[in-house]
Each structure stands twice: as C-alpha cells, then as structure tokens.
Amino acid sequence: MKTLTLFCMVIFTVSISFCQKSNALEAIRSQMRIDATDNMIDKWYPLVLDYEHGGYFSEITYDFKLGELHNKMIVTQARHIWTCSLVAEFFSDRDDYLNYAAHGFKFLKEVMWDQKFGGFYNLVSKEGKPIAKKGEEKTAYGNSFALYGLAAYYRVSKDEQALQLAKKTFLWLEEHSHDPINKGYYQSLNRDGSRILRDSTFDSTSEIGYKDQNSSIHLLEAFTELYKVWPDKLVAERLEELLLLIRDTIVNDRNYMNLFFEPDWTPVTFNKETKDIIKKHYYLDHVSFGHDVEIAYLMLEASEILKREDTEETLLKGKMMVDHALENGWDKAFGGFYDGGYYFGADQSLTIVNSDKNWWSQAEGLNTLLIMQHHFPNDSHNYGVYFNHLWEYVNTFFMDDRYGGWYEWGQDSKPETKNNLKGHVWKANYHNFRALVNCLKLLEE
C-alpha cells in the first residue's frame, strides 16, 4: 500500500489534471475506498450498536472490541447517525447502514431529547440517565451535532419525524442560545436553556461562559446541512450571520481563528502574560491549525449553499488560512499538521507549542488541501504536493495495519499510544470518514 502511495505522490506533484488521466490516480481512489469501507466503517458497524439500551457504544479498544465505559455524549451519538446516513447515501451496496442510522435516531428522539425543557442533554449514562455536569448540561456545540445528524438522516431516509426534530432543535437554539444583540451563539447552557453567566468564581482556565469558535464553526456546518433539506428563511439568515461572523471577526488579521471570546466577541488572550501563564491557558488561547484548515472548507460549503455573490472572497480567506497553517504548522520532517502554535508577545514568527498531531486535523487537512488544489492548481504552495505528503503520512503513521481504523495520535511522535482506545466519547469516525468521502468525490470529478 505504501509503495503505491509513494508512486502516486510522485505523479501527483506534477498536476492534479495530469493525475486524473493516470493509473496512479486510480490507485489513490481505490485505496481511499478500501480505507473508508473495509478499514473503517466495517470495523465500527454494527459493533457499536447498543441493542439493549439504544444508541451507540462509546468505548472501543485498539483491536476493535467493546471497552468498559459507555456514557453516551450527544456529539458522538449524532456523529454516528451522520456517518451511517452518509454511508447509505454514498455506498449503495451497504443497505444496513440506513437501519444503523435509524437506530441512533430513535435514541436521540426518545432518550437524549429533554422532554421537559427541550434541547439535547450533553451526556447520559449507558442506560440513558442524564449525567449533570456543571456548565455542560446542555451546549450549543452538542445541539449543533444533533442537528447535523438529524438533517443528514432525513435527507437520506425522508423520515418526517427526523425533520421535525431538526426543526425543533434549530428553534430551541434560536430561543435559548442565539445572541440577538452581538450575534452568534452562547455555548454553555443550563438544563432549562438559560445562559450560564461567567463571573469571578470561575477558574481562569475554564471555558464555561465564553463564546467560542468551535461551537460557531459546527453550528455553521449544521445549519448548512439543515438548509439543504429545509431552505427556511430564518435558517438562511442565521447561516449567513455565522458565515460572516466567522470569516470577518473570528478569523483575525493574521489568518487564523481566535478560540474564545467575551459576549461582544472581544478575543480572550493571555498574550501579555508570562509564558508559564500562557502555557497554563493553552486550551483557551493558541493557534489551532486543524480548526483553521477545517473552517476553510466549511465556510466555502456554506457560501456555496447560500449562493452568495462574494463566495470568491470567502474562498480566498480560506486559502490564506490554509497557507498560514502550511507555512507555520506543518511538520517539514515527517509531514502532517501540528496541534498548536503561539505568537508570543510582539513576535512576528510563530512558535510551535504543541507538536503532537491528532487524527482529526490530518483528516480535515486531506479534504481542504484537495479543495485548494482544485481551485488553485498553479499556486506556488503546491497544494497537490502537500496533499500527497499528508496522504502518505496518514497511511504510515495513523492507519493501523494490524486491526484497521485510525490511531488517535501520530505514531511518529507518540508511538506509546499505539494500543490506546480507537473510540471514546470524543473520537469516532466522522472527521476521517467525511474527509475520505469528500476526497473521493473530488478525485472522481
């Protein structure tokens, strides 16, 4: 497999249009199909279906067996619904996957939706009992993925109950999470939907009470998916609002996204503090290369769905973000995107402060680099070259040739994680499966 990939890389660096006529391109497509099916989804399903309590199991061991801890988070549950729906849509020979998606939908509708206050619980036990965690009973992020999964499931199944629940979710967010004054959405909510107000009692490292880029970009993603099946005027208005907010406010002048914000969208930063304090608050304030390459794709997708006249401007903004990530966050030795960097003080150059490489950043990189190559085939950044380097890196250091699936961390820098979990509440298969399917669509055009 790796020899084929290296051969493809040499051919592909000439130009993607040339590759489209070559046997090498067919080899890439063929391998991606195998990695998306035999080595990924067929490992996960039907293994993760919980037929006793509903929904999907959470913890999957390194050798694809059920683990021990199966609390169920709305994000993971909804992502499984989305993935199974996409499998049913894209791989017509896998008939069971629509049933797998319906299985998850039933759990969302009957267990994870709060029948008293509306909105989706963030976390429940394996049996479906809500687990209350301060500041995380309900979140915009969690409800965004519920919406994402429901819209995709409806698109494929035409189950009207799914569309109705998607509409209820959108309107619940509109009532409880949307900020009509400063725009965007509040992330942290109490069970009754009331906003959690940040005060002096909160630890400085806590994200609770801030607005943030992560919930914003995934609400954008979810509203895009919803708009495909429910082209409602208010959905279009909120989708456009988020697109412009992200593109023109959350993305800063240096072409990366700030991570957390005050309610008026003032960035949360520790730039003027000591390096020890900056390090302590890494989660709240750093350059996240994975999110930057991901939003380049999500912004373009939203703009195209809305048929905006300034889509070219959005594409160029995304390009500048990808360029920034390649120039500052790419591992020149092994390949792949680092987890995070930082501009200390008045430094003009970025320092890598977290050199680990996670699975989802590489997946989003594959997708976005191929999109950039498609739109800018003659650009000096040679996105096709980077795409092939990243594809080789993923094949070598992320894909498990023993048991299938993707490792959570690049084995070039974290080989000690080889036998870590393949799945948990924050890791399933949505990022990497979506990336492979999107790449296949582009490569087959």
Side-chain angles (χ1 to χ4, degrees), residues 117-174:
F117 292 106
F120 286 97
Y121 295 113
N122 193 55
L123 190 69
V124 300
S125 68
K126 182 174 73 170
E127 296 77 19
K129 182 179 179 180
I131 298 173
K133 187 175 180 181
K134 184 179 179 181
E136 297 181 16
E137 287 187 278
K138 303 231 176 104
T139 65
Y141 183 85
N143 278 270
S144 77
F145 275 103
L147 188 54
Y148 189 58
L150 290 168
Y153 174 62
Y154 169 73
R155 186 180 70 247
V156 182
S157 69
K158 303 306 177 188
D159 184 338
E160 284 293 329
Q161 292 184 80
L163 180 59
Q164 292 307 311
L165 188 53
K167 290 178 179 180
K168 284 174 66 176
T169 306
F170 172 79
L171 294 173
W172 188 87
L173 285 164
E174 176 70 17

Short mmCIF file of all heavy atoms in Angstrom, two decimals, residues 117-174:
data_model
loop_
_atom_site.label_atom_id
_atom_site.label_comp_id
_atom_site.label_asym_id
_atom_site.label_seq_id
_atom_site.Cartn_x
_atom_site.Cartn_y
_atom_site.Cartn_z
N PHE A 117 -37.70 20.39 29.08
CA PHE A 117 -37.20 21.72 28.72
C PHE A 117 -36.76 21.85 27.25
O PHE A 117 -36.45 22.94 26.79
CB PHE A 117 -36.00 22.08 29.60
CG PHE A 117 -36.36 22.29 31.05
CD1 PHE A 117 -36.03 21.34 32.01
CD2 PHE A 117 -37.04 23.43 31.44
CE1 PHE A 117 -36.35 21.53 33.34
CE2 PHE A 117 -37.37 23.64 32.78
CZ PHE A 117 -37.03 22.68 33.73
N GLY A 118 -36.77 20.75 26.54
CA GLY A 118 -36.30 20.80 25.16
C GLY A 118 -34.78 20.84 25.10
O GLY A 118 -34.08 20.98 26.10
N GLY A 119 -34.25 20.71 23.89
CA GLY A 119 -32.81 20.65 23.72
C GLY A 119 -32.28 19.27 24.07
O GLY A 119 -32.97 18.47 24.73
N PHE A 120 -31.08 18.97 23.66
CA PHE A 120 -30.48 17.67 23.91
C PHE A 120 -29.56 17.71 25.11
O PHE A 120 -28.76 18.64 25.26
CB PHE A 120 -29.70 17.19 22.68
CG PHE A 120 -30.58 16.74 21.55
CD1 PHE A 120 -30.89 17.60 20.50
CD2 PHE A 120 -31.11 15.45 21.55
CE1 PHE A 120 -31.70 17.18 19.47
CE2 PHE A 120 -31.93 15.03 20.50
CZ PHE A 120 -32.23 15.90 19.47
N TYR A 121 -29.69 16.70 25.96
CA TYR A 121 -28.72 16.53 27.03
C TYR A 121 -27.33 16.36 26.42
O TYR A 121 -27.18 15.74 25.36
CB TYR A 121 -29.04 15.28 27.86
CG TYR A 121 -30.34 15.34 28.62
CD1 TYR A 121 -31.40 14.50 28.28
CD2 TYR A 121 -30.50 16.20 29.70
CE1 TYR A 121 -32.59 14.52 28.99
CE2 TYR A 121 -31.69 16.24 30.42
CZ TYR A 121 -32.73 15.40 30.06
OH TYR A 121 -33.92 15.44 30.77
N ASN A 122 -26.33 16.85 27.12
CA ASN A 122 -24.97 16.68 26.61
C ASN A 122 -24.45 15.27 26.86
O ASN A 122 -23.76 14.70 26.00
CB ASN A 122 -24.04 17.70 27.28
CG ASN A 122 -22.70 17.78 26.59
OD1 ASN A 122 -22.64 18.02 25.39
ND2 ASN A 122 -21.62 17.56 27.33
N LEU A 123 -24.81 14.69 27.99
CA LEU A 123 -24.26 13.39 28.37
C LEU A 123 -25.28 12.58 29.15
O LEU A 123 -25.95 13.12 30.04
CB LEU A 123 -23.00 13.58 29.22
CG LEU A 123 -22.14 12.36 29.51
CD1 LEU A 123 -21.46 11.86 28.24
CD2 LEU A 123 -21.07 12.69 30.57
N VAL A 124 -25.40 11.29 28.80
CA VAL A 124 -26.25 10.39 29.56
C VAL A 124 -25.45 9.11 29.84
O VAL A 124 -24.42 8.84 29.21
CB VAL A 124 -27.55 10.03 28.80
CG1 VAL A 124 -28.37 11.28 28.52
CG2 VAL A 124 -27.25 9.27 27.51
N SER A 125 -25.93 8.31 30.78
CA SER A 125 -25.29 7.03 31.07
C SER A 125 -25.58 6.05 29.94
O SER A 125 -26.37 6.32 29.04
CB SER A 125 -25.83 6.48 32.39
OG SER A 125 -27.20 6.12 32.24
N LYS A 126 -24.94 4.90 30.02
CA LYS A 126 -25.19 3.86 29.02
C LYS A 126 -26.68 3.52 28.94
O LYS A 126 -27.23 3.29 27.86
CB LYS A 126 -24.39 2.60 29.35
CG LYS A 126 -24.55 1.48 28.32
CD LYS A 126 -23.63 0.30 28.58
CE LYS A 126 -24.07 -0.51 29.77
NZ LYS A 126 -23.30 -1.79 29.87
N GLU A 127 -27.34 3.56 30.10
CA GLU A 127 -28.77 3.24 30.15
C GLU A 127 -29.65 4.41 29.73
O GLU A 127 -30.86 4.23 29.53
CB GLU A 127 -29.15 2.79 31.56
CG GLU A 127 -28.47 1.51 32.02
CD GLU A 127 -27.01 1.72 32.42
OE1 GLU A 127 -26.61 2.88 32.70
OE2 GLU A 127 -26.25 0.72 32.46
N GLY A 128 -29.07 5.61 29.62
CA GLY A 128 -29.83 6.76 29.16
C GLY A 128 -30.22 7.75 30.24
O GLY A 128 -31.01 8.66 29.98
N LYS A 129 -29.65 7.63 31.44
CA LYS A 129 -29.96 8.57 32.51
C LYS A 129 -29.08 9.82 32.38
O LYS A 129 -27.85 9.71 32.26
CB LYS A 129 -29.72 7.93 33.87
CG LYS A 129 -30.07 8.82 35.05
CD LYS A 129 -29.85 8.11 36.37
CE LYS A 129 -30.18 9.03 37.55
NZ LYS A 129 -29.98 8.36 38.87
N PRO A 130 -29.67 11.02 32.38
CA PRO A 130 -28.86 12.24 32.24
C PRO A 130 -27.78 12.36 33.31
O PRO A 130 -28.02 12.07 34.48
CB PRO A 130 -29.90 13.36 32.37
CG PRO A 130 -31.19 12.74 31.96
CD PRO A 130 -31.11 11.31 32.44
N ILE A 131 -26.60 12.76 32.89
CA ILE A 131 -25.47 12.99 33.79
C ILE A 131 -25.24 14.49 33.84
O ILE A 131 -24.84 15.10 32.84
CB ILE A 131 -24.21 12.27 33.30
CG1 ILE A 131 -24.44 10.75 33.28
CG2 ILE A 131 -23.01 12.62 34.19
CD1 ILE A 131 -23.30 9.97 32.66
N ALA A 132 -25.52 15.08 34.97
CA ALA A 132 -25.41 16.54 35.12
C ALA A 132 -23.98 16.91 35.48
O ALA A 132 -23.46 16.49 36.51
CB ALA A 132 -26.38 17.04 36.17
N LYS A 133 -23.36 17.69 34.63
CA LYS A 133 -22.02 18.21 34.90
C LYS A 133 -22.08 19.72 34.80
O LYS A 133 -22.54 20.27 33.79
CB LYS A 133 -21.01 17.65 33.89
CG LYS A 133 -19.57 18.01 34.21
CD LYS A 133 -18.62 17.32 33.23
CE LYS A 133 -17.17 17.68 33.56
NZ LYS A 133 -16.22 17.05 32.61
N LYS A 134 -21.64 20.41 35.85
CA LYS A 134 -21.79 21.85 35.91
C LYS A 134 -21.24 22.52 34.66
O LYS A 134 -20.09 22.32 34.27
CB LYS A 134 -21.07 22.40 37.14
CG LYS A 134 -21.27 23.90 37.34
CD LYS A 134 -20.55 24.40 38.58
CE LYS A 134 -20.75 25.91 38.73
NZ LYS A 134 -20.03 26.44 39.93
N GLY A 135 -22.09 23.33 34.05
CA GLY A 135 -21.69 24.08 32.87
C GLY A 135 -21.81 23.33 31.58
O GLY A 135 -21.60 23.90 30.51
N GLU A 136 -22.15 22.03 31.66
CA GLU A 136 -22.21 21.23 30.44
C GLU A 136 -23.49 20.40 30.34
O GLU A 136 -23.52 19.39 29.64
CB GLU A 136 -20.99 20.30 30.38
CG GLU A 136 -19.66 21.03 30.29
CD GLU A 136 -18.48 20.07 30.22
OE1 GLU A 136 -18.70 18.88 29.93
OE2 GLU A 136 -17.35 20.51 30.45
N GLU A 137 -24.54 20.83 31.03
CA GLU A 137 -25.79 20.08 30.93
C GLU A 137 -26.33 20.14 29.50
O GLU A 137 -26.79 19.14 28.95
CB GLU A 137 -26.82 20.65 31.91
CG GLU A 137 -26.52 20.29 33.36
CD GLU A 137 -27.64 20.72 34.28
OE1 GLU A 137 -27.67 21.90 34.66
OE2 GLU A 137 -28.49 19.88 34.63
N LYS A 138 -26.24 21.32 28.92
CA LYS A 138 -26.62 21.50 27.51
C LYS A 138 -25.62 22.46 26.88
O LYS A 138 -25.15 23.40 27.52
CB LYS A 138 -28.03 22.09 27.39
CG LYS A 138 -29.10 21.26 28.10
CD LYS A 138 -30.26 20.96 27.21
CE LYS A 138 -31.25 20.04 27.93
NZ LYS A 138 -32.44 20.74 28.41
N THR A 139 -25.28 22.22 25.62
CA THR A 139 -24.33 23.10 24.93
C THR A 139 -24.81 23.36 23.51
O THR A 139 -25.49 22.52 22.91
CB THR A 139 -22.92 22.48 24.86
OG1 THR A 139 -22.96 21.29 24.05
CG2 THR A 139 -22.39 22.16 26.25
N ALA A 140 -24.43 24.51 22.98
CA ALA A 140 -24.70 24.79 21.57
C ALA A 140 -23.95 23.80 20.69
O ALA A 140 -24.46 23.34 19.66
CB ALA A 140 -24.29 26.22 21.24
N TYR A 141 -22.73 23.45 21.09
CA TYR A 141 -21.91 22.50 20.33
C TYR A 141 -22.60 21.15 20.21
O TYR A 141 -22.72 20.57 19.12
CB TYR A 141 -20.56 22.37 21.03
CG TYR A 141 -19.56 21.47 20.35
CD1 TYR A 141 -18.74 21.95 19.34
CD2 TYR A 141 -19.40 20.14 20.75
CE1 TYR A 141 -17.79 21.13 18.73
CE2 TYR A 141 -18.46 19.32 20.15
CZ TYR A 141 -17.65 19.82 19.14
OH TYR A 141 -16.72 19.00 18.54
N GLY A 142 -23.08 20.64 21.34
CA GLY A 142 -23.76 19.36 21.32
C GLY A 142 -25.02 19.38 20.48
O GLY A 142 -25.29 18.47 19.69
N ASN A 143 -25.81 20.43 20.64
CA ASN A 143 -27.05 20.53 19.87
C ASN A 143 -26.79 20.75 18.39
O ASN A 143 -27.59 20.36 17.55
CB ASN A 143 -27.93 21.63 20.44
CG ASN A 143 -28.74 21.17 21.64
OD1 ASN A 143 -29.85 20.67 21.51
ND2 ASN A 143 -28.15 21.30 22.83
N SER A 144 -25.65 21.36 18.07
CA SER A 144 -25.30 21.54 16.65
C SER A 144 -25.10 20.18 15.98
O SER A 144 -25.53 19.97 14.84
CB SER A 144 -24.05 22.41 16.51
OG SER A 144 -22.85 21.70 16.79
N PHE A 145 -24.43 19.27 16.68
CA PHE A 145 -24.21 17.96 16.07
C PHE A 145 -25.48 17.14 16.01
O PHE A 145 -25.67 16.35 15.06
CB PHE A 145 -23.08 17.22 16.77
CG PHE A 145 -21.74 17.60 16.23
CD1 PHE A 145 -20.92 18.47 16.93
CD2 PHE A 145 -21.31 17.15 14.99
CE1 PHE A 145 -19.70 18.85 16.41
CE2 PHE A 145 -20.10 17.53 14.46
CZ PHE A 145 -19.28 18.38 15.16
N ALA A 146 -26.36 17.30 16.98
CA ALA A 146 -27.67 16.65 16.88
C ALA A 146 -28.37 17.11 15.61
O ALA A 146 -28.91 16.30 14.85
CB ALA A 146 -28.50 16.97 18.11
N LEU A 147 -28.36 18.40 15.39
CA LEU A 147 -28.98 18.98 14.19
C LEU A 147 -28.32 18.45 12.92
O LEU A 147 -28.99 18.11 11.93
CB LEU A 147 -28.85 20.50 14.27
CG LEU A 147 -29.58 21.36 13.25
CD1 LEU A 147 -31.06 21.03 13.20
CD2 LEU A 147 -29.38 22.83 13.59
N TYR A 148 -27.01 18.35 12.95
CA TYR A 148 -26.23 17.86 11.80
C TYR A 148 -26.62 16.42 11.45
O TYR A 148 -26.88 16.10 10.28
CB TYR A 148 -24.75 17.94 12.19
CG TYR A 148 -23.75 17.67 11.10
CD1 TYR A 148 -23.71 18.44 9.93
CD2 TYR A 148 -22.77 16.69 11.26
CE1 TYR A 148 -22.75 18.22 8.96
CE2 TYR A 148 -21.81 16.46 10.30
CZ TYR A 148 -21.80 17.23 9.15
OH TYR A 148 -20.84 17.01 8.19
N GLY A 149 -26.68 15.58 12.46
CA GLY A 149 -27.04 14.19 12.23
C GLY A 149 -28.49 14.03 11.79
O GLY A 149 -28.80 13.24 10.89
N LEU A 150 -29.39 14.78 12.42
CA LEU A 150 -30.81 14.67 12.08
C LEU A 150 -31.09 15.10 10.63
O LEU A 150 -31.86 14.46 9.92
CB LEU A 150 -31.63 15.54 13.04
CG LEU A 150 -31.73 15.05 14.48
CD1 LEU A 150 -32.31 16.15 15.37
CD2 LEU A 150 -32.55 13.78 14.57
N ALA A 151 -30.45 16.20 10.21
CA ALA A 151 -30.66 16.70 8.85
C ALA A 151 -30.16 15.70 7.82
O ALA A 151 -30.81 15.45 6.80
CB ALA A 151 -29.98 18.05 8.68
N ALA A 152 -28.99 15.11 8.08
CA ALA A 152 -28.44 14.13 7.14
C ALA A 152 -29.31 12.88 7.09
O ALA A 152 -29.56 12.32 6.01
CB ALA A 152 -27.02 13.77 7.55
N TYR A 153 -29.77 12.44 8.26
CA TYR A 153 -30.62 11.26 8.29
C TYR A 153 -31.93 11.50 7.54
O TYR A 153 -32.40 10.64 6.78
CB TYR A 153 -30.90 10.86 9.75
CG TYR A 153 -31.90 9.73 9.87
CD1 TYR A 153 -31.62 8.47 9.34
CD2 TYR A 153 -33.12 9.92 10.52
CE1 TYR A 153 -32.53 7.44 9.44
CE2 TYR A 153 -34.04 8.89 10.62
CZ TYR A 153 -33.73 7.65 10.08
OH TYR A 153 -34.65 6.62 10.17
N TYR A 154 -32.51 12.68 7.71
CA TYR A 154 -33.74 12.99 6.98
C TYR A 154 -33.49 13.02 5.47
O TYR A 154 -34.29 12.51 4.69
CB TYR A 154 -34.34 14.32 7.42
CG TYR A 154 -35.45 14.76 6.50
CD1 TYR A 154 -36.69 14.12 6.54
CD2 TYR A 154 -35.25 15.76 5.56
CE1 TYR A 154 -37.71 14.48 5.66
CE2 TYR A 154 -36.26 16.13 4.67
CZ TYR A 154 -37.49 15.48 4.73
OH TYR A 154 -38.48 15.83 3.86
N ARG A 155 -32.36 13.59 5.07
CA ARG A 155 -32.07 13.71 3.64
C ARG A 155 -32.05 12.34 2.96
O ARG A 155 -32.51 12.18 1.83
CB ARG A 155 -30.72 14.40 3.43
CG ARG A 155 -30.42 14.70 1.96
CD ARG A 155 -29.08 15.38 1.75
NE ARG A 155 -27.96 14.49 2.01
CZ ARG A 155 -27.10 14.63 3.01
NH1 ARG A 155 -27.24 15.64 3.85
NH2 ARG A 155 -26.10 13.79 3.18
N VAL A 156 -31.56 11.35 3.67
CA VAL A 156 -31.42 10.02 3.09
C VAL A 156 -32.68 9.18 3.31
O VAL A 156 -33.11 8.44 2.42
CB VAL A 156 -30.19 9.30 3.67
CG1 VAL A 156 -30.02 7.93 3.03
CG2 VAL A 156 -28.93 10.13 3.45
N SER A 157 -33.27 9.29 4.50
CA SER A 157 -34.39 8.41 4.85
C SER A 157 -35.76 8.97 4.50
O SER A 157 -36.72 8.22 4.34
CB SER A 157 -34.38 8.13 6.36
OG SER A 157 -34.71 9.32 7.09
N LYS A 158 -35.86 10.31 4.45
CA LYS A 158 -37.14 11.01 4.28
C LYS A 158 -38.10 10.75 5.44
O LYS A 158 -39.33 10.85 5.29
CB LYS A 158 -37.80 10.64 2.94
CG LYS A 158 -36.95 10.92 1.73
CD LYS A 158 -36.45 12.34 1.68
CE LYS A 158 -35.54 12.57 0.48
NZ LYS A 158 -34.88 13.92 0.52
N ASP A 159 -37.55 10.44 6.59
CA ASP A 159 -38.34 10.24 7.80
C ASP A 159 -38.76 11.60 8.35
O ASP A 159 -37.94 12.36 8.86
CB ASP A 159 -37.51 9.48 8.84
CG ASP A 159 -38.29 9.13 10.10
OD1 ASP A 159 -39.30 9.79 10.39
OD2 ASP A 159 -37.87 8.20 10.82
N GLU A 160 -40.02 11.93 8.24
CA GLU A 160 -40.52 13.25 8.62
C GLU A 160 -40.29 13.55 10.10
O GLU A 160 -40.14 14.71 10.49
CB GLU A 160 -42.00 13.39 8.28
CG GLU A 160 -42.28 13.60 6.80
CD GLU A 160 -41.76 14.96 6.30
OE1 GLU A 160 -41.72 15.92 7.11
OE2 GLU A 160 -41.38 15.04 5.12
N GLN A 161 -40.28 12.52 10.92
CA GLN A 161 -40.03 12.74 12.35
C GLN A 161 -38.64 13.33 12.59
O GLN A 161 -38.44 14.16 13.48
CB GLN A 161 -40.16 11.43 13.11
CG GLN A 161 -41.56 10.86 13.16
CD GLN A 161 -41.61 9.61 14.01
OE1 GLN A 161 -41.67 9.67 15.24
NE2 GLN A 161 -41.57 8.46 13.36
N ALA A 162 -37.69 12.92 11.77
CA ALA A 162 -36.33 13.45 11.89
C ALA A 162 -36.29 14.92 11.51
O ALA A 162 -35.63 15.73 12.18
CB ALA A 162 -35.37 12.64 11.03
N LEU A 163 -37.00 15.29 10.46
CA LEU A 163 -37.02 16.69 10.05
C LEU A 163 -37.71 17.54 11.11
O LEU A 163 -37.25 18.65 11.42
CB LEU A 163 -37.73 16.85 8.71
CG LEU A 163 -37.83 18.28 8.18
CD1 LEU A 163 -36.44 18.90 8.00
CD2 LEU A 163 -38.61 18.33 6.87
N GLN A 164 -38.78 17.03 11.68
CA GLN A 164 -39.48 17.80 12.71
C GLN A 164 -38.60 18.00 13.95
O GLN A 164 -38.59 19.09 14.54
CB GLN A 164 -40.78 17.08 13.09
CG GLN A 164 -41.83 17.07 11.99
CD GLN A 164 -42.12 18.46 11.43
OE1 GLN A 164 -42.36 19.41 12.20
NE2 GLN A 164 -42.08 18.60 10.11
N LEU A 165 -37.84 16.98 14.32
CA LEU A 165 -36.95 17.13 15.47
C LEU A 165 -35.80 18.08 15.14
O LEU A 165 -35.35 18.85 16.00
CB LEU A 165 -36.41 15.77 15.91
CG LEU A 165 -35.62 15.74 17.21
CD1 LEU A 165 -36.40 16.38 18.36
CD2 LEU A 165 -35.22 14.31 17.58
N ALA A 166 -35.34 18.06 13.90
CA ALA A 166 -34.29 19.00 13.48
C ALA A 166 -34.81 20.44 13.58
O ALA A 166 -34.11 21.34 14.06
CB ALA A 166 -33.85 18.69 12.06
N LYS A 167 -36.02 20.66 13.15
CA LYS A 167 -36.61 22.00 13.24
C LYS A 167 -36.75 22.44 14.70
O LYS A 167 -36.45 23.59 15.04
CB LYS A 167 -37.98 22.02 12.55
CG LYS A 167 -37.93 21.87 11.04
CD LYS A 167 -39.35 21.85 10.45
CE LYS A 167 -39.33 21.74 8.94
NZ LYS A 167 -40.71 21.72 8.36
N LYS A 168 -37.20 21.53 15.55
CA LYS A 168 -37.34 21.84 16.98
C LYS A 168 -35.98 22.21 17.58
O LYS A 168 -35.88 23.12 18.40
CB LYS A 168 -37.94 20.65 17.72
CG LYS A 168 -39.43 20.46 17.53
CD LYS A 168 -39.92 19.17 18.19
CE LYS A 168 -39.79 19.21 19.69
NZ LYS A 168 -40.37 17.99 20.34
N THR A 169 -34.94 21.51 17.17
CA THR A 169 -33.60 21.77 17.68
C THR A 169 -33.12 23.15 17.25
O THR A 169 -32.59 23.92 18.07
CB THR A 169 -32.61 20.71 17.18
OG1 THR A 169 -33.11 19.41 17.50
CG2 THR A 169 -31.23 20.90 17.80
N PHE A 170 -33.33 23.48 15.99
CA PHE A 170 -32.93 24.80 15.49
C PHE A 170 -33.66 25.90 16.24
O PHE A 170 -33.05 26.90 16.66
CB PHE A 170 -33.22 24.90 13.99
CG PHE A 170 -33.02 26.28 13.42
CD1 PHE A 170 -31.74 26.73 13.12
CD2 PHE A 170 -34.09 27.13 13.21
CE1 PHE A 170 -31.54 28.01 12.61
CE2 PHE A 170 -33.91 28.40 12.70
CZ PHE A 170 -32.62 28.85 12.41
N LEU A 171 -34.95 25.74 16.43
CA LEU A 171 -35.74 26.77 17.10
C LEU A 171 -35.42 26.84 18.59
O LEU A 171 -35.49 27.93 19.18
CB LEU A 171 -37.23 26.51 16.87
CG LEU A 171 -37.69 26.65 15.41
CD1 LEU A 171 -39.13 26.21 15.25
CD2 LEU A 171 -37.51 28.09 14.92
N TRP A 172 -35.04 25.71 19.20
CA TRP A 172 -34.61 25.73 20.59
C TRP A 172 -33.31 26.53 20.72
O TRP A 172 -33.17 27.34 21.65
CB TRP A 172 -34.41 24.31 21.10
CG TRP A 172 -34.14 24.22 22.57
CD1 TRP A 172 -35.07 24.16 23.57
CD2 TRP A 172 -32.86 24.23 23.21
NE1 TRP A 172 -34.45 24.11 24.80
CE2 TRP A 172 -33.08 24.15 24.61
CE3 TRP A 172 -31.55 24.28 22.75
CZ2 TRP A 172 -32.05 24.12 25.54
CZ3 TRP A 172 -30.50 24.26 23.67
CH2 TRP A 172 -30.76 24.19 25.05
N LEU A 173 -32.39 26.33 19.81
CA LEU A 173 -31.16 27.12 19.80
C LEU A 173 -31.45 28.60 19.57
O LEU A 173 -30.84 29.47 20.18
CB LEU A 173 -30.21 26.61 18.71
CG LEU A 173 -29.48 25.30 19.01
CD1 LEU A 173 -28.90 24.71 17.72
CD2 LEU A 173 -28.38 25.52 20.03
N GLU A 174 -32.41 28.87 18.70
CA GLU A 174 -32.78 30.26 18.41
C GLU A 174 -33.31 30.95 19.68
O GLU A 174 -32.98 32.11 19.95
CB GLU A 174 -33.85 30.28 17.32
CG GLU A 174 -34.40 31.65 16.98
CD GLU A 174 -33.39 32.54 16.26
OE1 GLU A 174 -32.39 32.03 15.74
OE2 GLU A 174 -33.63 33.76 16.21
#
